[in-house]
Amino acid sequence: MADHIKEEEKHGESLMEKIAEKIHGHGSSSSSSSSSDSDDDKTTSLKSKVYRLFGREKPVHKVLGGGQPADLLLWKDKKVSGGVLVGATAIWVLFDVLEYHLLALVCHGLILGLVGLFLYSNASTFIKKSPPKIPVVSISEEPVLNFASALRIGINEGFATLRDIASGKDLKKFLAVIAGLWVLSFFGSCCDFLTLLYSITVLLFTVPLVYDKYEDQVDCFAEKAMVEIKKQYAVFDAKVLSKIPRGPLKEKKSD
């Protein structure tokens, strides 16, 4: 009888030890999970405090619009991106370096294509081969309407932006636009439109890729540059802009 009581006591003690171990393990796992959550919160808060160029909060792929255009500019598919860049280079060399005219190129291409298809269609009966199957090419109405609608919206937004800048509401935006137009006119006077367009294409295929690879270094340099620009703007504002006379503000109409 006494042995039976001792065995029950040992069994109860072992059961209590197992329960205590489970509780301790659960507590340690919860504490570790809470500590990991706090570490994640710290890392996210540190990432949010890091200066990003133009104050962006999204990755470069999302900033570029995502999808195939962003993949193209970030060289996700090197063959496609390289092919587009090589094609743009060939067009620039053909029209700018070799000074080939667009109308002459289109006409010569159509002449070669039509002559080749005509001769092959007539010669197929003599060489006992099936004539070439010329596909029916037609442009559907929907993509044309979508393109026209997007172009109209973009033009209207551009006109609205120019109107907002010309109204004198935002001096910083006005100076930025004037500086951008002056820089664009400077490059336009140095080269023709095709060279300028090709240069923009090369920049689009190189700058986002380099920035995506060296993001932290570029952002650090941009932060220092922005601090210096703000200092210089404050000096310019105090010495020049603040002394420009402005017209009286219109009083708001009382209801």
Side-chain angles (χ1 to χ4, degrees):
M1 186 68 180
D3 295 335
H4 182 67
I5 292 170
K6 288 180 179 180
E7 289 178 357
E8 288 181 353
E9 289 178 352
K10 290 180 179 180
H11 181 69
E13 290 177 355
S14 62
L15 183 62
M16 292 297 293
E17 289 177 355
K18 290 179 180 179
I19 293 172
E21 288 178 357
K22 287 183 178 180
I23 294 173
H24 180 69
H26 179 71
S28 62
S29 63
S30 62
S31 62
S32 62
S33 63
S34 62
S35 63
S36 63
D37 293 337
S38 62
D39 292 337
D40 293 337
D41 294 336
K42 289 180 180 178
T43 53
T44 54
S45 62
L46 287 174
K47 286 182 179 180
S48 62
K49 292 180 181 179
V50 175
Y51 176 84
R52 294 301 180 191
L53 194 61
F54 304 117
R56 65 177 184 84
E57 297 179 356
K58 298 179 181 180
V60 181
H61 190 271
K62 293 292 183 181
V63 172
L64 294 175
Q68 294 182 354
D71 294 338
L72 184 68
L73 295 178
L74 292 177
W75 292 72
K76 299 297 182 182
D77 191 346
K78 295 182 179 179
K79 292 183 179 180
V80 177
S81 300
V84 173
L85 189 59
V86 169
T89 304
I91 292 173
W92 175 71
V93 170
L94 187 65
F95 290 111
D96 195 77
V97 179
L98 300 179
E99 296 182 354
Y100 209 83
H101 298 286
L102 178 62
L103 183 61
L105 178 66
V106 172
C107 292
H108 290 167
L110 289 175
I111 289 171
L112 290 176
L114 290 174
V115 169
L117 290 174
F118 180 81
L119 293 177
Y120 185 76
S121 298
N122 288 282
S124 60
T125 56
F126 297 100
I127 60 177
K128 295 181 180 181
K129 286 188 177 182
S130 60
K133 296 180 180 180
I134 303 174
V136 178
V137 179
S138 62
I139 301 175
S140 59
E141 185 179 1
E142 184 178 357
V144 176
L145 293 177
N146 291 334
F147 176 76
S149 177
L151 182 63
R152 180 183 63 84
I153 293 172
I155 292 174
N156 289 335
E157 289 179 353
F159 284 150
T161 303
L162 292 175
R163 181 177 179 276
D164 186 42
I165 293 170
S167 62
K169 296 179 180 179
D170 193 346
L171 183 60
K172 291 183 180 180
K173 186 183 292 187
F174 171 76
L175 293 176
V177 171
I178 294 299
L181 291 174
W182 183 82
V183 172
L184 190 62
S185 66
F186 174 76
F187 284 108
S189 62
C190 295
C191 58
D192 56 357
F193 178 74
L194 186 60
T195 302
L196 181 63
L197 188 63
Y198 174 68
S199 302
I200 294 173
T201 303
V202 173
L203 290 175
L204 287 175
F205 276 89
T206 53
V207 173
L209 179 64
V210 173
Y211 178 68
D212 189 42
K213 287 185 177 181
Y214 305 100
E215 183 177 358
D216 295 333
Q217 293 86 339
V218 174
D219 287 337
C220 182
F221 177 78
E223 183 179 9
K224 296 178 181 178
M226 286 301 297
V227 171
E228 187 64 27
I229 290 172
K230 287 180 180 179
K231 290 180 180 178
Q232 297 298 328
Y233 178 78
V235 174
F236 180 71
D237 188 14
K239 292 183 177 180
V240 180
L241 298 181
S242 61
K243 297 180 180 179
I244 297 176
R246 297 183 181 181
L249 297 175
K250 295 182 179 179
E251 296 180 355
K252 295 183 180 180
K253 295 181 179 180
S254 60
D255 296 333

